Amino acid sequence: MAIFEQERTKKVLLDDTETLSCVIENWRTIDGHTEYIIRVHRGPFSQKTWRIYKRYNDFLALHSYLQTSGLPLPLPPKKIIGNRDPEFISERQQGLQKYLNSVLMNPILVSSLPAKSFVDPANYCQPFSEIALQHVSLALRGEVGWEVVGPLSEIGWRLRKHFYQVRCKTLPKDELIASWTDFGPDKYLNDKDIHVVFKCINQMQHPYIYPIELCLCTDIGGLVVRNSSINGSLRDNICGAKPRMSFLKKYGNPKGHKPLNSSQVALYGRQILEALKFLKDKGLYYGHLHTGNIIIENDRVKLLDIENGVLGVPSFYRPYFIQHKRICNQEAIDIYCFGHTIYEMTFGAPLQESTMDSLPSDCPANLRSVLESILSSESCKNGLPTIDNLLHHPFFSAIVLSLQQNEKAQLKIPTSTKDQLKAAQTQLEERLREEQKLVRSQKRLVRVQELMSSEEEKKKQRHKKKQEQRAKEHQQHSKEKQSEHKEGVNGEAGDSATSTSTATSVGTATPPSISGSSTIPSSPPPPPPAPPLAPPLQMSENVLPDSKDRSALLVGDHCILKVKSHTVFS
C-alpha cells in the first residue's frame, strides 16, 4: 500500500437492528411553539446518546405515516385553545412518551424509514432508494440483456435492501425480481472472496434452497435476481397478505392469522433443518432464517437470501439473541432463528419476546418439546440443541422426505475461500460476544440502580414513618399537658374559693403554707388552746382593800386581759 493511499471501508458500519430508546426530558418554547427535548439512546453503547427537538406536528406527521400499519397507536389528541398551558403541556409530554415507547418496541414500526429518521435524523436522512437505483443501474450495465423495469417500494423491512422488477431478453416470460443490498457491519470478506462466493452460490443446487438467476457484486453491495413467487413468502401466507404490498400494511396488524397444522410444521421444519445442515457442512454461514425468507411451493420449502451472511447484514432476530451469551456461534444463531420460525408457523403470529416459558395446553407434546428446547429461558441460558440433535428428535425424524433422482445438493467452494469464510465467521462471532458483554453489563447496572432506588425508597418510607410516629407522640403529649393544665387551673380556682369562704366565716386571715405546696388545705387548722390564766389573788374576807390596793387590783386585771388577748391573736 502506498504511503498516501488510505484504506476506505465500503460497508455500512451502522447496525440498523440495534435497539433505540427515547426519553422526553423536558420542553421549551421557541418562537411561540412548544418543542420537546428528547434524549435518544442506541443499542448497548452508553456513548451513543444524542438529543433531538420535536414539535407536536412532527409527531402528527409520523403518526399519519404509521397509520398504514393499522395498529392503534396512542397519540395524544390535538388541541388548539389552551395548548400553551404548562399543565396541559406536561400531560401531553407523558402521552407522547407512551406513544414513542409503543413505536420503538414494535419491530415492524421501528424498521420503517420515517420512524428511524424521526429519532435519528443524522443517519437516516439520505435518499436510500435513489442511491440504490444508481447502484443497480451500474451493476447491470455490464450485463447484456438486463434492464430495470421499475422499483417495488417498501415490500421488505430492511432500509438498505431495495427491490426492483427487472427484465432479461433471454428469459422474456419470466417475472424477475432483483434485490440490492448494501454491505453491512458484519462484512469481513474482501471483495475478491465475495466475488468467488457469489459465483459459487449462483451455481448452487439444493431442493430446499431457492435458485438464483443472477448474482453480482460491486464494491458497495450485492445484486441478486430470482424468479418472482406468485404466492409470496411463508409470512405472506400466514398473514393472508399480497406479496407486493407495503411491509407495514402486510405485517403491522394483519387481519388474518393462518397457523399451520402440526404435520405441516413437522414437514417444513425437517426440510429447513436439511438445508441448514447442508450450508453448515459447506462452510457457508446463514443466520437469516425467518418466515419472510421462506417460500412454499408444492409442499416444499425454499430458503431465500442465502447471500445475506456474506454481505454482512445483521440478522432480523439479532436484538433477541444478543441478550443470551450462549447464543454466540453461527449454528446456535441458526437454531435460535429456527425456533422463532417454528413458533410463528405453529401459532400464526411471531414471538415478540426473546424467550418463551408458557405454551397453550393444546400444543402437541413433541412440538412443545422442540419449542421449549430452543426458546425457553432455561435452554437459552444453558445452551441450544444442535442441528443433528433436532434431526433426531421424534417430531422431525418421523418425517420421510421424498426426492427425485435429478434433485441434487451441490455447492462447490474453493478451499482457500472456505478458510476466509471461517475467519470471517470468527470475526462475526467475536463482535457478537463483545456486544453481549455490553448488554450484560448494562443489565447489571440497571439492576444495581433499581436496587439502590428501592433501598432509597425504603429509607424514605422508614424515615417518613418515624416522623409520623414522632408527630403523633408529640401531639398526644401536648394533649396530655393541656388536660393537666386545665385540671390544675380548675383545682386552684375551687380551692381559692373554699379558703375565701372559710376565712370569711372565721373572721381571720389564712396563715401561709409552711411546706410551700401550691395545694391549700380545705379547712384551716384549729387555733392552739389558750394558756391557763393566773390564779386570782386571795383576799381576806374581813379585810377590804383600800382605794390604792383596789386600783392596783384593777391594773392587774387589765394586764391579765391584755396578756390573754395577745395569746389568742398571736
Side-chain angles (χ1 to χ4, degrees):
M1 182 181 294
I3 189 171
F4 296 109
E5 183 180 355
Q6 294 182 356
E7 184 180 0
R8 294 184 303 167
T9 177
K10 298 293 184 179
K11 66 180 181 180
V12 178
L13 299 178
L14 184 64
D15 190 345
D16 296 325
T17 63
E18 288 180 347
T19 57
L20 294 169
S21 60
C22 295
V23 177
I24 304 179
E25 295 180 325
N26 208 338
W27 58 272
R28 65 182 184 180
T29 302
I30 302 293
D31 297 333
H33 301 286
T34 302
E35 283 188 351
Y36 295 93
I37 305 172
I38 306 172
R39 178 170 54 86
V40 187
H41 180 77
R42 172 189 291 279
F45 307 101
S46 58
Q47 67 272 18
K48 291 186 178 180
T49 303
W50 62 93
R51 282 177 175 81
I52 57 176
Y53 305 92
K54 297 292 182 180
R55 293 171 51 186
Y56 177 78
N57 288 338
D58 298 326
F59 285 89
L60 197 62
L62 174 64
H63 183 69
S64 62
Y65 178 84
L66 296 181
Q67 279 184 323
T68 309
S69 65
L71 290 169
L73 298 174
L75 181 69
K78 193 170 184 177
K79 186 177 182 181
I80 300 176
I81 300 175
N83 56 3
R84 297 184 185 179
D85 183 38
E87 293 183 1
F88 169 76
I89 295 175
S90 299
E91 292 178 1
R92 174 176 277 184
Q93 177 179 334
Q94 296 176 2
L96 294 176
Q97 182 67 63
K98 293 180 181 179
Y99 179 81
L100 281 177
N101 293 341
S102 61
V103 171
L104 298 179
M105 290 175 63
N106 190 303
I108 298 299
L109 297 180
V110 76
S111 299
S112 63
L113 182 58
K116 292 283 190 182
S117 60
F118 182 87
V119 297
D120 192 0
N123 291 312
Y124 296 99
C125 61
Q126 308 175 24
F128 293 99
S129 58
E130 297 177 6
I131 297 174
L133 182 57
Q134 295 175 6
H135 294 322
V136 172
S137 301
L138 291 174
L140 291 177
R141 180 175 295 181
E143 300 297 323
V144 180
W146 289 89
E147 62 178 353
V148 178
V149 178
L152 301 174
S153 302
E154 300 180 347
I155 65 174
W157 65 275
R158 291 188 184 274
L159 292 174
R160 306 177 195 273
K161 186 169 187 174
H162 304 270
F163 297 88
Y164 303 90
Q165 186 175 353
V166 296
R167 184 186 297 117
C168 181
K169 292 181 179 179
T170 59
L171 302 170
K173 295 182 179 180
D174 292 347
E175 188 173 356
L176 305 173
I177 293 181
S179 62
W180 168 264
T181 309
D182 295 336
F183 288 140
D186 288 324
K187 184 251 182 185
Y188 298 107
L189 287 175
N190 56 39
D191 295 345
K192 180 182 177 180
D193 291 324
I194 292 180
H195 279 288
V196 174
V197 174
F198 268 41
K199 286 183 180 179
C200 296
I201 63 176
N202 196 10
Q203 301 172 358
M204 178 177 55
Q205 295 180 4
H206 195 276
Y208 306 126
I209 297 177
Y210 206 80
I212 296 174
E213 300 298 331
L214 180 65
C215 194
L216 301 174
C217 178
T218 69
D219 59 346
I220 301 296
L223 179 67
V224 179
V225 180
R226 296 181 175 90
N227 281 310
S228 175
S229 176
I230 300 175
N231 298 325
S233 66
L234 177 58
R235 180 168 292 172
D236 293 332
N237 297 332
I238 292 175
C239 297
K242 297 179 180 180
R244 299 195 178 186
M245 293 171 57
S246 167
F247 81 98
L248 270 181
K249 194 171 184 179
K250 288 190 297 184
Y251 310 137
N253 188 20
K255 296 181 180 179
H257 294 278
K258 301 177 182 178
L260 308 181
N261 56 51
S262 179
S263 60
Q264 289 177 317
V265 174
L267 175 62
Y268 299 156
R270 173 64 187 273
Q271 295 174 356
I272 293 172
L273 288 174
E274 293 290 344
L276 294 178
K277 179 175 173 57
F278 171 77
L279 295 175
K280 175 192 171 186
D281 294 340
K282 296 299 180 179
L284 185 65
Y285 49 89
Y286 185 30
H288 295 271
L289 177 64
H290 57 81
T291 55
N293 282 342
I294 298 173
I295 289 179
I296 306 295
E297 291 182 350
N298 300 322
D299 270 346
R300 181 169 291 187
V301 162
K302 302 282 186 178
L303 297 187
L304 297 172
D305 291 353
I306 303 299
E307 70 280 359
N308 277 3
V310 179
L311 295 173
V313 295
S315 172
F316 178 77
Y317 292 112
R318 196 172 197 276
Y320 291 161
F321 61 73
I322 199 177
Q323 304 177 33
H324 307 286
K325 66 177 181 179
R326 297 301 297 271
I327 308 176
C328 58
N329 58 69
Q330 193 59 44
E331 185 176 7
I333 292 173
D334 284 334
I335 293 299
Y336 183 79
C337 297
F338 175 76
H340 275 269
T341 303
I342 295 295
Y343 183 94
E344 189 170 352
M345 287 193 294
T346 303
F347 301 104
L351 179 63
Q352 300 288 354
E353 302 291 338
S354 64
T355 58
M356 172 274 313
D357 290 323
S358 63
L359 287 170
S361 58
D362 57 348
C363 182
N366 285 336
L367 180 55
R368 177 188 294 271
S369 174
V370 171
L371 292 174
E372 289 178 347
S373 66
I374 301 174
L375 297 177
S376 67
S377 57
E378 191 67 23
S379 61
C380 290
K381 182 179 179 180
N382 298 326
L384 305 185
T386 63
I387 296 176
D388 293 331
N389 294 147
L390 292 176
L391 284 172
H392 290 88
H393 193 279
F395 186 70
F396 299 114
S397 62
I399 301 299
V400 179
L401 300 177
S402 59
L403 298 175
Q404 299 179 3
Q405 295 181 354
N406 59 348
E407 293 179 333
K408 299 179 181 180
Q410 181 178 355
L411 175 61
K412 295 181 179 179
I413 301 178
T415 304
S416 59
T417 307
K418 281 187 177 180
D419 294 338
Q420 295 298 322
L421 283 171
K422 188 175 181 180
Q425 180 179 343
T426 302
Q427 289 179 283
L428 184 150
E429 294 171 355
E430 287 178 356
R431 173 178 174 254
L432 176 61
R433 292 191 185 97
E434 289 298 323
E435 293 193 6
Q436 286 175 338
K437 290 180 182 178
L438 292 174
V439 171
R440 292 197 299 273
S441 63
Q442 187 71 18
K443 286 184 177 181
R444 286 194 295 267
L445 179 62
V446 171
R447 285 196 296 267
V448 170
Q449 290 177 349
E450 290 178 352
L451 183 62
M452 292 178 63
S453 62
S454 63
E455 289 294 331
E456 289 179 358
E457 188 66 25
K458 289 180 181 178
K459 289 181 180 178
K460 288 181 181 179
Q461 294 293 336
R462 289 196 294 266
H463 183 66
K464 186 178 180 180
K465 288 182 179 179
K466 288 182 179 179
Q467 286 183 339
E468 292 178 353
Q469 185 67 22
R470 289 175 182 174
K472 289 181 180 179
E473 292 177 355
H474 180 71
Q475 187 176 4
Q476 186 176 0
H477 186 64
S478 299
K479 288 182 179 179
E480 291 178 355
K481 280 189 173 181
Q482 289 178 1
S483 62
E484 290 178 357
H485 180 67
K486 288 181 180 179
E487 290 178 358
V489 170
N490 294 335
E492 290 177 359
D495 294 344
S496 60
T498 306
S499 59
T500 303
S501 61
T502 306
T504 306
S505 60
V506 175
T508 58
T510 305
S513 173
I514 299 174
S515 62
S517 175
S518 60
T519 305
I520 302 174
S522 58
S523 59
L533 297 176
L537 297 173
Q538 297 294 327
M539 297 176 56
S540 173
E541 294 180 1
N542 298 322
V543 178
L544 292 174
D546 56 359
S547 59
K548 187 176 181 179
D549 295 335
R550 184 174 295 177
S551 62
L553 180 60
L554 292 175
V555 172
D557 293 340
H558 178 72
C559 292
I560 293 171
L561 291 175
K562 190 174 182 179
V563 171
K564 185 184 296 186
S565 171
H566 177 75
T567 304
V568 173
F569 294 105
S570 60

Coordinates of all heavy atoms in Angstrom, one line a residue, residues 138-186:
L138 N -25.7 0.7 -12.4 CA -24.3 0.5 -12.7 C -23.9 -1.0 -12.7 O -23.1 -1.4 -13.5 CB -23.4 1.2 -11.6 CG -23.5 2.8 -11.7 CD1 -22.7 3.4 -10.5 CD2 -22.9 3.2 -13.0
A139 N -24.5 -1.8 -11.8 CA -24.2 -3.2 -11.7 C -24.7 -3.9 -13.0 O -24.0 -4.9 -13.5 CB -24.8 -3.8 -10.5
L140 N -25.9 -3.5 -13.5 CA -26.4 -4.2 -14.7 C -25.9 -3.7 -16.0 O -26.2 -4.2 -17.1 CB -27.9 -4.1 -14.7 CG -28.7 -4.9 -13.6 CD1 -30.2 -4.6 -13.7 CD2 -28.4 -6.4 -13.7
R141 N -25.1 -2.6 -16.0 CA -24.6 -2.0 -17.2 C -23.7 -3.0 -17.9 O -23.6 -3.0 -19.2 CB -23.8 -0.7 -16.9 CG -23.2 0.0 -18.1 CD -22.6 1.3 -17.7 NE -23.6 2.2 -17.2 CZ -23.3 3.5 -16.8 NH1 -22.0 3.9 -16.8 NH2 -24.3 4.3 -16.3
G142 N -22.9 -3.8 -17.2 CA -22.0 -4.7 -17.9 C -22.7 -6.0 -18.2 O -22.0 -6.9 -18.8
E143 N -24.0 -6.2 -17.9 CA -24.7 -7.5 -18.2 C -25.6 -7.2 -19.4 O -26.4 -6.4 -19.4 CB -25.5 -7.9 -17.0 CG -24.7 -8.2 -15.8 CD -23.7 -9.3 -15.9 OE1 -24.1 -10.3 -16.6 OE2 -22.6 -9.3 -15.4
V144 N -25.4 -8.0 -20.5 CA -26.1 -7.9 -21.7 C -27.5 -8.4 -21.6 O -27.7 -9.5 -21.1 CB -25.4 -8.6 -22.9 CG1 -26.1 -8.4 -24.2 CG2 -23.9 -8.1 -23.0
G145 N -28.5 -7.6 -22.0 CA -29.9 -8.1 -22.0 C -30.6 -7.8 -20.7 O -31.8 -8.2 -20.6
W146 N -30.0 -7.2 -19.7 CA -30.7 -7.0 -18.4 C -31.0 -5.5 -18.3 O -30.2 -4.6 -18.7 CB -29.9 -7.4 -17.3 CG -29.7 -8.9 -17.1 CD1 -28.8 -9.6 -17.7 CD2 -30.5 -9.7 -16.3 NE1 -28.9 -11.0 -17.3 CE2 -30.0 -11.1 -16.5 CE3 -31.7 -9.6 -15.5 CZ2 -30.6 -12.2 -15.9 CZ3 -32.2 -10.7 -14.9 CH2 -31.7 -12.0 -15.1
E147 N -32.2 -5.2 -17.8 CA -32.7 -3.8 -17.6 C -33.7 -3.7 -16.4 O -34.4 -4.7 -16.1 CB -33.3 -3.2 -18.9 CG -34.5 -3.9 -19.3 CD -35.2 -3.3 -20.5 OE1 -34.7 -2.2 -20.9 OE2 -36.1 -3.9 -21.1
V148 N -33.7 -2.6 -15.8 CA -34.6 -2.4 -14.7 C -36.0 -1.8 -15.2 O -36.0 -0.9 -16.0 CB -34.0 -1.3 -13.7 CG1 -35.0 -1.1 -12.6 CG2 -32.7 -1.8 -13.2
V149 N -37.0 -2.5 -14.8 CA -38.4 -2.1 -15.2 C -38.9 -1.0 -14.3 O -39.5 0.0 -14.7 CB -39.3 -3.3 -15.3 CG1 -40.7 -2.9 -15.7 CG2 -38.8 -4.3 -16.3
G150 N -38.8 -1.2 -13.0 CA -39.3 -0.3 -12.0 C -39.1 -0.8 -10.6 O -38.9 -2.0 -10.3
P151 N -39.2 0.1 -9.6 CA -39.0 -0.2 -8.2 C -40.2 -0.9 -7.6 O -41.3 -0.6 -8.0 CB -38.6 1.1 -7.6 CG -39.4 2.1 -8.4 CD -39.4 1.6 -9.8
L152 N -40.0 -1.7 -6.6 CA -41.0 -2.3 -5.8 C -40.8 -1.7 -4.4 O -40.0 -2.2 -3.6 CB -40.9 -3.8 -5.8 CG -41.1 -4.5 -7.1 CD1 -40.8 -6.0 -7.0 CD2 -42.4 -4.2 -7.7
S153 N -41.6 -0.7 -4.1 CA -41.3 0.2 -2.9 C -41.8 -0.5 -1.6 O -42.9 -1.0 -1.5 CB -42.0 1.5 -3.0 OG -41.5 2.2 -4.2
E154 N -40.8 -0.6 -0.7 CA -41.1 -1.0 0.7 C -41.8 -2.3 0.9 O -42.7 -2.5 1.8 CB -42.0 0.1 1.4 CG -41.3 1.5 1.4 CD -42.2 2.5 2.0 OE1 -43.4 2.3 2.3 OE2 -41.7 3.6 2.3
I155 N -41.5 -3.3 0.1 CA -42.0 -4.6 0.3 C -41.2 -5.4 1.3 O -41.7 -6.4 1.8 CB -42.1 -5.4 -1.0 CG1 -40.7 -5.7 -1.6 CG2 -43.0 -4.6 -2.1 CD1 -40.8 -6.5 -2.8
G156 N -40.0 -4.9 1.6 CA -39.2 -5.6 2.7 C -38.9 -4.6 3.8 O -39.1 -3.4 3.7
W157 N -38.5 -5.2 4.9 CA -38.3 -4.4 6.2 C -37.0 -3.8 6.3 O -36.8 -2.9 7.1 CB -38.5 -5.4 7.4 CG -37.5 -6.4 7.5 CD1 -37.5 -7.6 6.9 CD2 -36.3 -6.3 8.3 NE1 -36.4 -8.4 7.3 CE2 -35.6 -7.6 8.1 CE3 -35.7 -5.4 9.1 CZ2 -34.4 -7.9 8.7 CZ3 -34.5 -5.7 9.7 CH2 -33.9 -6.9 9.5
R158 N -36.0 -4.2 5.5 CA -34.6 -3.6 5.6 C -34.6 -2.3 4.9 O -35.0 -2.1 3.8 CB -33.6 -4.5 5.0 CG -33.4 -5.8 5.8 CD -32.2 -6.6 5.2 NE -32.0 -7.8 5.9 CZ -31.3 -8.0 7.0 NH1 -30.7 -7.0 7.6 NH2 -31.2 -9.2 7.6
L159 N -34.0 -1.3 5.6 CA -33.9 0.0 5.0 C -32.9 0.1 3.8 O -33.0 0.9 2.9 CB -33.4 1.0 6.1 CG -34.4 1.3 7.2 CD1 -33.8 2.2 8.2 CD2 -35.7 2.0 6.6
R160 N -31.8 -0.8 3.9 CA -30.8 -0.7 2.9 C -30.9 -1.9 1.9 O -29.9 -2.3 1.3 CB -29.4 -0.7 3.6 CG -29.3 0.4 4.6 CD -28.0 0.3 5.4 NE -28.0 1.2 6.6 CZ -27.8 2.5 6.6 NH1 -27.4 3.1 5.5 NH2 -27.9 3.1 7.7
K161 N -32.1 -2.5 1.8 CA -32.3 -3.5 0.8 C -33.5 -3.1 0.0 O -34.6 -2.8 0.5 CB -32.6 -4.8 1.5 CG -32.7 -6.0 0.5 CD -32.7 -7.3 1.2 CE -32.7 -8.5 0.2 NZ -32.6 -9.8 0.9
H162 N -33.3 -3.0 -1.3 CA -34.4 -2.4 -2.2 C -34.6 -3.5 -3.3 O -33.7 -4.2 -3.8 CB -33.9 -1.1 -2.8 CG -33.5 -0.1 -1.8 ND1 -34.4 0.8 -1.3 CD2 -32.3 0.2 -1.2 CE1 -33.8 1.6 -0.4 NE2 -32.6 1.2 -0.3
F163 N -35.9 -3.5 -3.7 CA -36.4 -4.5 -4.7 C -36.8 -3.8 -6.0 O -37.4 -2.7 -5.9 CB -37.5 -5.3 -4.1 CG -37.2 -6.1 -2.9 CD1 -37.2 -5.6 -1.6 CD2 -36.7 -7.4 -3.0 CE1 -36.9 -6.3 -0.5 CE2 -36.4 -8.2 -1.9 CZ -36.4 -7.7 -0.7
Y164 N -36.5 -4.5 -7.1 CA -36.9 -3.9 -8.4 C -37.4 -5.0 -9.3 O -36.9 -6.2 -9.2 CB -35.6 -3.2 -9.1 CG -35.0 -2.1 -8.2 CD1 -34.0 -2.4 -7.3 CD2 -35.5 -0.8 -8.3 CE1 -33.5 -1.4 -6.5 CE2 -34.9 0.2 -7.6 CZ -33.9 -0.1 -6.7 OH -33.4 0.9 -5.9
Q165 N -38.3 -4.7 -10.2 CA -38.7 -5.6 -11.2 C -37.8 -5.4 -12.4 O -37.6 -4.3 -12.9 CB -40.1 -5.3 -11.6 CG -40.7 -6.4 -12.6 CD -42.2 -6.1 -12.8 OE1 -42.8 -5.3 -12.2 NE2 -42.7 -6.9 -13.8
V166 N -37.1 -6.5 -12.8 CA -36.2 -6.4 -13.9 C -36.6 -7.4 -15.0 O -37.5 -8.2 -14.9 CB -34.7 -6.8 -13.4 CG1 -34.2 -5.8 -12.4 CG2 -34.7 -8.2 -12.8
R167 N -36.0 -7.1 -16.2 CA -36.3 -7.9 -17.4 C -35.0 -8.4 -18.0 O -34.0 -7.7 -18.0 CB -37.1 -7.1 -18.4 CG -37.6 -7.8 -19.6 CD -38.2 -6.9 -20.6 NE -39.4 -6.3 -20.1 CZ -39.6 -5.0 -19.9 NH1 -38.6 -4.1 -20.2 NH2 -40.7 -4.5 -19.4
C168 N -35.1 -9.6 -18.5 CA -34.0 -10.2 -19.2 C -34.4 -10.7 -20.6 O -35.5 -11.4 -20.7 CB -33.4 -11.4 -18.5 SG -32.0 -12.2 -19.2
K169 N -33.7 -10.4 -21.6 CA -34.1 -10.7 -23.0 C -34.0 -12.2 -23.2 O -34.8 -12.8 -24.0 CB -33.2 -10.0 -24.0 CG -33.3 -8.5 -24.0 CD -32.4 -7.8 -25.1 CE -32.6 -6.3 -25.1 NZ -31.8 -5.6 -26.1
T170 N -33.1 -12.9 -22.5 CA -33.0 -14.3 -22.7 C -34.1 -15.1 -22.0 O -34.4 -16.3 -22.2 CB -31.7 -14.8 -22.3 OG1 -31.5 -14.5 -20.9 CG2 -30.6 -14.2 -23.1
L171 N -34.8 -14.4 -21.0 CA -35.9 -15.0 -20.2 C -37.1 -14.1 -20.3 O -37.5 -13.5 -19.3 CB -35.5 -15.2 -18.7 CG -34.2 -16.1 -18.5 CD1 -33.8 -16.0 -17.1 CD2 -34.5 -17.5 -18.9
P172 N -37.7 -14.0 -21.5 CA -38.7 -13.0 -21.7 C -40.0 -13.3 -20.9 O -40.8 -12.4 -20.6 CB -39.0 -13.0 -23.2 CG -38.5 -14.3 -23.6 CD -37.4 -14.7 -22.7
K173 N -40.3 -14.6 -20.6 CA -41.5 -14.9 -20.0 C -41.4 -15.0 -18.5 O -42.5 -15.1 -17.8 CB -42.0 -16.3 -20.5 CG -42.3 -16.4 -22.0 CD -42.8 -17.8 -22.4 CE -43.1 -17.8 -23.8 NZ -43.6 -19.1 -24.3
D174 N -40.3 -14.9 -18.0 CA -40.1 -15.0 -16.5 C -40.3 -13.6 -15.9 O -39.8 -12.6 -16.4 CB -38.7 -15.5 -16.2 CG -38.5 -17.0 -16.6 OD1 -39.6 -17.6 -16.9 OD2 -37.4 -17.4 -16.6
E175 N -41.0 -13.6 -14.8 CA -41.1 -12.3 -14.0 C -40.0 -12.4 -12.9 O -40.1 -13.2 -12.0 CB -42.5 -12.3 -13.4 CG -42.8 -10.9 -12.7 CD -44.2 -10.8 -12.3 OE1 -45.0 -11.8 -12.5 OE2 -44.6 -9.8 -11.6
L176 N -39.1 -11.5 -13.1 CA -37.9 -11.5 -12.2 C -37.9 -10.3 -11.2 O -38.4 -9.2 -11.6 CB -36.6 -11.4 -13.1 CG -36.5 -12.5 -14.2 CD1 -35.3 -12.2 -15.1 CD2 -36.4 -13.9 -13.5
I177 N -37.4 -10.6 -10.1 CA -37.2 -9.6 -9.0 C -35.8 -9.5 -8.6 O -35.1 -10.5 -8.3 CB -38.1 -9.8 -7.8 CG1 -39.6 -9.7 -8.2 CG2 -37.8 -8.9 -6.7 CD1 -40.5 -10.0 -7.0
A178 N -35.2 -8.3 -8.6 CA -33.8 -8.1 -8.2 C -33.8 -7.4 -6.8 O -34.6 -6.5 -6.6 CB -33.1 -7.2 -9.2
S179 N -32.9 -7.8 -6.0 CA -32.8 -7.2 -4.7 C -31.3 -6.7 -4.5 O -30.4 -7.4 -4.8 CB -33.0 -8.2 -3.6 OG -32.1 -9.3 -3.6
W180 N -31.2 -5.4 -4.2 CA -29.9 -4.8 -4.0 C -29.7 -4.6 -2.5 O -30.6 -4.1 -1.8 CB -29.8 -3.4 -4.7 CG -28.7 -2.6 -4.2 CD1 -28.6 -1.7 -3.3 CD2 -27.3 -2.8 -4.7 NE1 -27.4 -1.2 -3.1 CE2 -26.5 -1.8 -4.0 CE3 -26.7 -3.6 -5.6 CZ2 -25.2 -1.7 -4.2 CZ3 -25.4 -3.4 -5.8 CH2 -24.6 -2.5 -5.1
T181 N -28.6 -5.0 -1.9 CA -28.3 -4.9 -0.5 C -26.9 -4.3 -0.3 O -25.9 -4.7 -0.9 CB -28.3 -6.3 0.1 OG1 -29.5 -6.9 -0.2 CG2 -28.2 -6.2 1.7
D182 N -26.8 -3.3 0.5 CA -25.5 -2.7 0.9 C -24.8 -3.6 1.8 O -25.4 -4.4 2.6 CB -25.7 -1.3 1.5 CG -26.3 -0.3 0.6 OD1 -26.2 -0.4 -0.6 OD2 -27.0 0.7 1.1
F183 N -23.5 -3.5 1.8 CA -22.6 -4.3 2.7 C -23.0 -3.8 4.1 O -23.0 -2.6 4.4 CB -21.2 -4.1 2.4 CG -20.7 -4.8 1.2 CD1 -19.8 -4.2 0.3 CD2 -21.2 -6.0 0.8 CE1 -19.3 -4.8 -0.8 CE2 -20.7 -6.7 -0.3 CZ -19.8 -6.1 -1.1
G184 N -23.1 -4.8 5.0 CA -23.4 -4.5 6.4 C -22.2 -4.5 7.3 O -21.1 -4.7 6.9
P185 N -22.4 -4.2 8.6 CA -21.3 -4.1 9.6 C -20.6 -5.4 9.8 O -19.5 -5.4 10.3 CB -22.0 -3.6 10.9 CG -23.4 -4.1 10.7 CD -23.7 -4.0 9.2
D186 N -21.2 -6.6 9.4 CA -20.5 -7.9 9.6 C -19.9 -8.4 8.3 O -19.7 -9.6 8.2 CB -21.6 -8.9 10.1 CG -22.0 -8.7 11.5 OD1 -21.1 -8.3 12.3 OD2 -23.1 -8.9 11.9

